[in-house]
Amino acid sequence: MENMDGIMESATTAGPALAEIEAVVSRATQALLAAQREDGHFVFELEADVSITAEYILFKRFLGEPADAGLEAKIAAYLRRKQAAHDGWPLFTDGGFNISSSVKAYFALKAAGDPPEADHMRRARAAILAHGGAANTNVFTRALLALFGAVPWRAVPVMPVEIMLLPRWFPFHVTKISYWSRTVLIPLMAVIALKPRARNPRNVTIDELFVEPPNAVRHWPGGPHQKFPWTPLFAGVDKVLRWSEPYFPKALRRRAIGKAVAFVEERLNGEDGLGAIFPAMAYSALMFDALGYKRQDPRMVQVLKAIDKLLVVHEDEAYCQPCVSPVWDTGLACHALMEAGGEAMAPRVRAALSWLEPLQVTGVAGDWAVQKPHVRPGGWAFQYANAHYPDVDDTAVVAMAMDRAAGHAPEYKDAVARAREWIEGLQSADGGWGAFESDNDREYLNYIPFADHGALLDPPTADVTARCLSMLGQLGETPAGNPAVARGVEYLLRTQEKDGSWFGRWGMNYIYGTWSALCAFNAVKRDPRSSEVLQAVAWLKSIRNTDGGWGEGGESYAMDYAGYRPAPSTPSQTAWALLGLMAAGMVDDAAVTGMVDDPAITLGIRYLARTQAEDGFWTEERFTATGFPRVFYLRYHGYSKYFPLWALARYRNLREGKPQPVLMGM
């Protein structure tokens, strides 16, 4: 690929002058510091595809809430702008047509008042019908449509709320699925049992999006990952449940709904909402509404405030975030600022870490404790508050930042020790780490009809495992002296792809996973001349674009792995590749010098220096993060602010011969 400015492979590979890099680092540092909040933390917008924003409009329509005309107009403007050249709405920038997001966007725009005969609506409708119509949407979309009476309830697989009463030894139990699945499904099961009907004050319908009448559809789609023998087995179970459900004892149903309500109320999480994620918040509100809770009920007030706090309102547009990312943003920004260095940095980093410190969850044994009851709490959540669901990845990042700042802030020693204890305690049996819980890997559950998204579980992944190893390595642990580290390294060795890369579950994709693994190997002092490191380095170099940068799209999550798929360069993915390559050389002075002078690194650094914007940041419209592979993707607006700074500052430091960054886990 060629960058727009025409910089090609033949460009000089000599390293940029240090003065030039210093100027870029200085501008980026000042811009990042200007974004720091008064209380010390950082938080940037977190954008998903249009589904969440469309659901916000439909959520209000379900409740019959009076529309804020100004806000709704801004949301509609956002939805219209996101319509792609294929006339539908993709899951990420430049992505292909997606039937579910397109149906929701069309429905929301129509609910907001866009006439069906408008050009953008006509084109969207034609594209939806060409892809089989609204009957081809995924399960969660069909559940939403069923609430509006747009499809019959048989379009939704049976998930009886009586599941709440099953014993833990049963093959399906709510403790055996991921936190995000649990917090969404439990209130949703109660809603499905109650089957409320949307108020829909304008009586908006979408019959025109169906190829055949919804009542005539007999075979609803499943997920592409679902296969023999689990798919027909669970399909048979679904048929039996559908036939028998009307005969379930009413007292049993009331008891199950009561247990679902108790689960939600215990985890309402103040104005940060159930699970601190939009779908769980929305379904908890629909459950309360279906049970007759008044708008003035403190629980309803709480949930509705939590949802509205997710809105991002600009002058001309508005959208709804799936959640917020202050702990993640703050931890990563601290790393970038410490890499940038300077006398003024210590107090600013200290302010950020002082904001983070009291957010460590030490008094609540969350859902993770079902699997690990003897482990003490000690993690950080991703959001402002989410005590039942601390995040392993965030905890490792924050602990490394606190440890790195220890020379300036030794009072964080106890917090780091508690975080380490919690992370070591949550290691799974296979040696890896999941994002929120351990051993959440019963793969057969992804084949139930309701799991057509294939993301019902939270199994160990290479990127999270690598982050935990990076933390343990930074704290001085090695495979020889720590069995948890040894098992984690073995997990990474087992999961390396044949081409040398690693899968990235939470970042897009193999670039993210490979960066994470190389940082981990450096931190635990694995030989940089080992075959796995050399192969990973060679792979990263081989996929560099001709503009000097790196890029990867969501298409790389295809079911059948076919290797890296080229995509336009992005600042954040370029930074990951550079940090990974530099980590691979961080062992001795000779290795550092050789790696920094490598043409792949110097061209990547030139790409970042060349693409810095006037405001000191970088422009990045493409999505580079992942919610659920193949289903849900994310654009962290902070990634193009702190990752390029981090990579450039590390390059400068290594060029200047500063040894300290070599000791860091990330």
Side-chain angles (χ1 to χ4, degrees), residues 344-616:
M345 218 53 62
R348 300 296 287 271
V349 170
R350 187 188 184 97
L353 296 178
S354 295
W355 180 84
L356 284 167
E357 185 187 25
L359 297 185
Q360 187 174 27
V361 180
T362 58
V364 176
D367 288 6
W368 54 267
V370 172
Q371 191 70 22
K372 297 285 188 177
H374 303 300
V375 176
R376 289 198 306 166
W380 275 268
F382 180 77
Q383 306 91 346
Y384 287 104
N386 198 9
H388 282 83
Y389 305 106
D391 183 315
V392 171
D393 212 354
D394 282 77
T395 300
V397 166
V398 172
M400 280 188 278
M402 288 183 165
D403 175 73
R404 184 170 186 174
H408 303 291
E411 66 267 30
Y412 300 128
K413 181 179 178 181
D414 290 343
V416 172
R418 188 71 177 261
R420 169 184 171 166
E421 178 185 341
W422 184 70
I423 282 182
E424 285 190 316
L426 260 68
Q427 188 174 28
S428 291
D430 64 1
W433 277 269
F436 297 92
E437 298 178 26
S438 61
D439 299 300
N440 196 268
D441 55 2
R442 293 166 176 82
E443 188 57 37
Y444 65 87
L445 292 176
N446 269 329
Y447 295 99
I448 67 172
F450 219 96
D452 65 344
H453 59 321
L456 203 68
L457 306 174
D458 179 19
T461 62
D463 48 342
V464 178
T465 299
R467 203 83 67 234
C468 294
L469 288 175
S470 287
M471 182 203 73
L472 292 170
Q474 184 175 312
L475 297 177
E477 299 297 326
T478 63
N482 187 310
V485 173
R487 291 168 55 224
V489 168
E490 287 300 315
Y491 175 89
L492 285 185
L493 294 176
R494 286 198 313 273
T495 55
Q496 188 174 22
E497 301 287 347
K498 291 180 180 178
D499 62 11
S501 66
W502 278 270
F503 178 81
R505 164 63 180 83
W506 297 97
M508 202 177 287
N509 171 351
Y510 295 97
I511 296 174
Y512 185 88
T514 305
W515 157 60
S516 302
L518 287 174
C519 287
F521 284 154
N522 167 64
V524 300
K525 297 179 173 56
R526 191 163 184 84
D527 187 352
R529 290 165 287 274
S530 63
S531 60
E532 60 274 2
V533 172
L534 292 176
Q535 192 181 11
V537 167
W539 177 80
L540 274 176
K541 290 182 181 181
S542 73
I543 65 163
R544 180 175 52 82
N545 290 331
T546 55
D547 62 6
W550 279 261
E552 186 173 1
E555 297 85 359
S556 67
Y557 287 103
M559 284 297 299
D560 296 323
Y561 175 67
Y564 164 82
R565 300 185 183 186
S569 299
T570 67
S572 62
Q573 290 168 318
T574 298
W576 298 337
L578 290 169
L579 288 166
L581 290 173
M582 287 187 282
M586 289 182 184
V587 175
D588 55 46
D589 291 342
V592 166
T593 302
M595 186 59 74
V596 170
D597 290 338
D598 189 286
I601 290 184
T602 56
L603 286 169
I605 290 295
R606 284 188 176 278
Y607 168 84
L608 290 181
R610 189 174 67 247
T611 55
Q612 187 180 36
E614 289 293 325
D615 63 0

Side-chain angles (χ1 to χ4, degrees), residues 8 42 64 115-116 207 229 241 271 373 415-416 624 663:
M8 298 297 292
F42 294 84
D207 293 350
L241 287 173
E271 290 184 8
V416 172
T624 62
L663 304 177

Side-chain angles (χ1 to χ4, degrees), residues 116-203:
E117 61 273 14
D119 180 64
H120 66 285
M121 298 289 279
R122 177 187 54 77
R123 289 186 287 107
R125 184 167 60 251
I128 290 168
L129 292 172
H131 285 82
N136 276 345
T137 53
N138 61 28
V139 166
F140 280 98
T141 303
R142 297 202 304 272
L144 176 66
L145 297 181
L147 290 168
F148 279 83
V151 298
W153 276 105
R154 61 179 173 75
V156 182
V158 177
M159 284 292 283
V161 70
E162 286 79 5
I163 285 172
M164 294 297 301
L165 305 177
L166 293 173
R168 278 201 67 215
W169 55 259
F170 199 78
F172 185 94
H173 191 270
V174 292
T175 63
K176 296 177 180 177
I177 59 178
S178 64
Y179 118 72
W180 57 84
S181 300
R182 191 179 310 129
T183 55
V184 173
L185 280 180
I186 287 176
L188 176 56
M189 288 190 299
V191 170
I192 291 174
L194 297 165
K195 292 182 173 54
R197 186 67 175 265
R199 290 168 182 77
N200 194 10
R202 297 179 183 172
N203 197 29

Side-chain angles (χ1 to χ4, degrees), residues 155-367:
V156 182
V158 177
M159 284 292 283
V161 70
E162 286 79 5
I163 285 172
M164 294 297 301
L165 305 177
L166 293 173
R168 278 201 67 215
W169 55 259
F170 199 78
F172 185 94
H173 191 270
V174 292
T175 63
K176 296 177 180 177
I177 59 178
S178 64
Y179 118 72
W180 57 84
S181 300
R182 191 179 310 129
T183 55
V184 173
L185 280 180
I186 287 176
L188 176 56
M189 288 190 299
V191 170
I192 291 174
L194 297 165
K195 292 182 173 54
R197 186 67 175 265
R199 290 168 182 77
N200 194 10
R202 297 179 183 172
N203 197 29
V204 176
T205 62
I206 53 168
D207 293 350
E208 67 272 22
L209 297 186
F210 290 88
V211 174
E212 60 179 322
N215 284 322
V217 179
R218 290 292 178 267
H219 301 287
W220 304 91
H225 66 285
Q226 294 177 326
K227 56 188 177 182
F228 184 86
W230 295 110
T231 299
L233 173 64
F234 283 124
V237 172
D238 185 77
K239 288 181 180 178
V240 171
L241 287 173
R242 194 174 299 280
W243 174 83
S244 61
E245 190 179 23
Y247 303 103
F248 288 0
K250 292 182 179 178
L252 199 67
R253 172 143 292 187
R254 286 194 297 270
R255 184 176 156 215
I257 291 174
K259 194 166 183 179
V261 170
F263 174 93
V264 171
E265 289 184 343
E266 181 184 349
R267 296 162 178 79
L268 269 182
N269 195 31
E271 290 184 8
D272 292 284
L274 175 64
I277 52 176
F278 174 86
M281 298 180 204
Y283 279 116
S284 62
L286 297 188
M287 179 187 73
F288 289 150
D289 180 71
L291 289 168
Y293 288 41
K294 303 299 183 185
R295 290 293 180 277
Q296 298 76 25
D297 186 289
R299 290 158 292 189
M300 278 294 282
V301 170
Q302 200 171 310
V303 175
L304 294 175
K305 282 186 177 179
I307 290 173
D308 282 341
K309 284 172 69 175
L310 295 175
L311 291 171
V312 173
V313 182
H314 294 298
E315 185 176 349
D316 300 317
E317 291 184 347
Y319 70 93
C320 186
Q321 301 173 105
C323 60
V324 291
S325 54
V327 171
W328 186 240
D329 284 332
T330 302
L332 293 171
C334 282
H335 282 281
L337 291 172
M338 283 188 280
E339 196 75 47
E343 291 184 6
M345 218 53 62
R348 300 296 287 271
V349 170
R350 187 188 184 97
L353 296 178
S354 295
W355 180 84
L356 284 167
E357 185 187 25
L359 297 185
Q360 187 174 27
V361 180
T362 58
V364 176
D367 288 6

